[in-house]
Amino acid sequence: MTTAVAEHWASGDVYGRIVTALQAAGKSLDALTIEDLAPVDHFHARGLPATIELGDSLPARAGDHVLDVGCGLGGPARYFARRFGCRVSGIDVTGPFIDAGRRLTELLGMGAVVDLRQGDGQALPYGDGTFDGGYAQHVTMNVPDRPSFFGEAWRVIRPGGFFAITEHGRGDAGPTHHPVPWSEDGRGEFLVTPEETVELLGAAGFVDIDVTDTGQDDLHRYRATLALAERGELPALGLHVLIGPGAAEKWRNSARNIEEGRTHPVRVICRKPG
């Protein structure tokens, strides 16, 4: 299943596609900034604005060591490392993302504070209590074994540390319309309701579990991006570079799923007892 999920998200030369898009957008690799990369390297609903909102909710501090599970290209890891003055270790099942993310991190001169590696969030290659906190942005939709995923997060976070996720939870109105960014036809999709997520986090040992509904914000962004796509006005650099030719259909279904109550996007913050 891990291999199938990885192959769904990316194959081939992801770094090359990003470089081509950067050049089309008039960005120089010799003077690249986090802001230059932002439209393409925050690969989740609402992109950078959602990362900023998540950061507003995290109690991260300078000098912390933070884990990004499902880090993708490493955009959030690099953003949080700069914002908080912390170190971030990212892990993702998708090899082409890790390869591209490492190269982009080096271009930005951030190799000392951001480390990306290929691996599975259901079996983390880190010792107990390694991290001061962790997060996973729009990853759990593809996780078949949530008890292991949350249990591993609990294990590697120190007592008193934080954990956060953002996800499209399962709604009450019936099956998801496909394709969507995380699944072409339902294969590799493992949605649960926000209530089930809270139960599973609690069963793993997390406390102070706080849930924020992000559905309307996500819906607004999907609609705005779709409007650009329908007018043929998508910028050279954006998530469509990674999603590919079917991006508009996937965004359209994502919006429809929220509108019809088939998905329930949320942000969840909790902590490991001290």
Side-chain angles (χ1 to χ4, degrees):
M1 180 57 67
T2 297
T3 299
V5 169
E7 291 175 350
H8 163 78
W9 282 108
S11 62
D13 185 8
V14 170
Y15 179 75
R17 297 207 302 270
I18 293 171
V19 167
T20 298
L22 284 167
Q23 292 170 338
K27 305 296 183 181
S28 170
L29 298 186
D30 297 327
L32 199 63
T33 68
I34 285 178
E35 290 74 20
D36 289 336
L37 279 173
V40 74
D41 70 350
H42 292 259
F43 197 3
H44 49 258
R46 287 191 294 128
L48 177 60
T51 301
I52 292 171
E53 286 181 11
L54 178 62
D56 292 342
S57 302
L58 298 182
R61 300 169 297 183
D64 278 355
H65 190 188
V66 177
L67 174 65
D68 181 337
V69 190
C71 63
L73 296 167
R78 292 185 290 267
Y79 169 81
F80 287 135
R82 186 181 70 175
R83 173 173 175 170
F84 294 116
C86 64
R87 290 187 297 133
V88 183
S89 292
I91 189 165
D92 198 286
V93 298
T94 307
F97 282 173
I98 295 300
D99 173 67
R102 285 173 171 169
R103 297 170 75 174
L104 294 170
T105 297
E106 291 303 318
L107 280 177
L108 292 166
M110 298 186 70
V113 292
V114 174
D115 172 68
L116 308 179
R117 69 168 75 175
Q118 188 173 4
D120 187 349
Q122 299 166 119
L124 292 170
Y126 307 106
D128 297 356
T130 297
F131 299 97
D132 297 291
Y135 62 90
Q137 288 183 278
H138 283 76
V139 173
T140 46
M141 295 96 71
N142 292 126
V143 173
D145 187 352
R146 287 197 189 215
S148 292
F149 186 89
F150 291 154
E152 281 291 271
W154 192 93
R155 180 182 66 80
V156 303
I157 292 172
R158 65 164 176 80
F162 64 86
F163 184 57
I165 68 169
T166 62
E167 67 174 358
H168 286 282
R170 190 178 76 238
D172 299 323
T176 311
H177 296 297
H178 295 99
V180 287
W182 62 89
S183 176
E184 293 292 333
D185 54 11
R187 285 178 292 184
E189 175 182 86
F190 304 97
L191 305 188
V192 304
T193 66
E195 293 79 13
E196 289 173 301
T197 291
V198 169
E199 291 176 5
L200 289 166
L201 285 167
F206 290 104
V207 298
D208 297 337
I209 304 169
D210 181 71
V211 180
T212 301
D213 189 313
T214 61
Q216 290 306 303
D217 291 332
D218 290 356
L219 180 58
H220 177 76
R221 180 61 178 265
Y222 282 131
R223 286 172 172 166
T225 307
L226 274 169
L228 290 175
E230 289 165 359
R231 296 196 301 267
E233 296 177 2
L234 286 173
L237 194 66
L239 295 183
H240 52 285
V241 173
L242 302 176
I243 298 174
E249 183 182 10
K250 292 178 179 181
W251 292 329
R252 188 173 295 108
N253 282 331
S254 295
R256 183 183 175 191
N257 286 323
I258 297 170
E259 289 172 324
E260 296 180 1
R262 297 173 185 272
T263 59
H264 186 171
V266 291
R267 179 174 63 249
V268 185
I269 312 291
C270 55
R271 68 177 180 87
K272 181 175 178 176

